[in-house]
Amino acid sequence: MKLFRPFNVVVDFETGDLTPGKKITRYLSDIQHFFLDKEKVKAVLAKENPLVYEVIYAEVPEEAGHLAHCTTIIYPGKVGNEFFFTKGHLHEKLETAEIYFTLKGQGRLIMASPDGEECEVLEMFPGSASYIPPCWSHRSVNVGGEPLIFYCIFFADAGHDYATIDKTGFPKVVLERNGEVVVENNPNW
Ligand code: PAN
Ligand code: ZN
C-alpha cells in the first residue's frame, strides 16, 4: 500500500490565503443569473465585473477516506440590496456532511433540504463552526463590510452538484433593508 504523506498547509486568518493551495475565482458574471434584480446586474456588468469570491484548496486526492479542505473569501458587495454570495450546491454524494469555520467577517449560511421544503439560515461570525448535515444544499452570504473568510472541511469524494441550484436557486434570499440584514422568501422559488 502506498502511503499518502502527512502535510501542513498554513491559513492566514486575516487574508484567507491558504499555502500551498490551488485558487479558483468567481466573478459576478459567473453567478449573475442568481440575483433577483436582473436590471441592476446588467447595469453593474456594463461598468465592471467584480470579483465576488475565491476558494483556495489544499491539494488532496478526491478519493474516499480523504478530507478535502479549503478557505473561501467572499468580498463585500451587493447587487441592488442583495448581498454577494457563493453559487451554492448539493454534494453529489448527498449523504456527506461539511463544516464551515468562520475566521473573519459576518455572514449567513443558507441551507435547504433537496426539495426545498426545509430551509435554515445560520449566522456566520469569527469562531462559529457551522455544521452542514448530510443532504442539505448550502450557500454562504457576506452581510458585512469586510471580506467573509471561512475554512471548510468536507469528504474529498463528495462531489459538487451545481446544476440543481442553477435551476432552482435557494428558497431564501438575504437582503439589506433600511440598513438591516433580512432573510426573505425567494420570490422566484
Ligand atoms: C465549500 C464551497 C465554497 C464555494 O468549499 O465549495 O465555499 O462555494 P461554491 O462551491 O458553492 O461555489 C463547500 O461547500 N465545499 O463542499
Ligand atoms: Zn459543500
Side-chain angles (χ1 to χ4, degrees), residues 53 55 70 72 86 88-89 91 98 100 138 150 152 154 160 162:
Y53 66 100
V55 188
C70 62
T72 301
T86 57
H89 58 267
H91 291 160
E98 178 160 7
Y100 282 8
H138 38 288
F150 54 97
C152 313
F154 55 102
H160 292 86
Y162 292 104

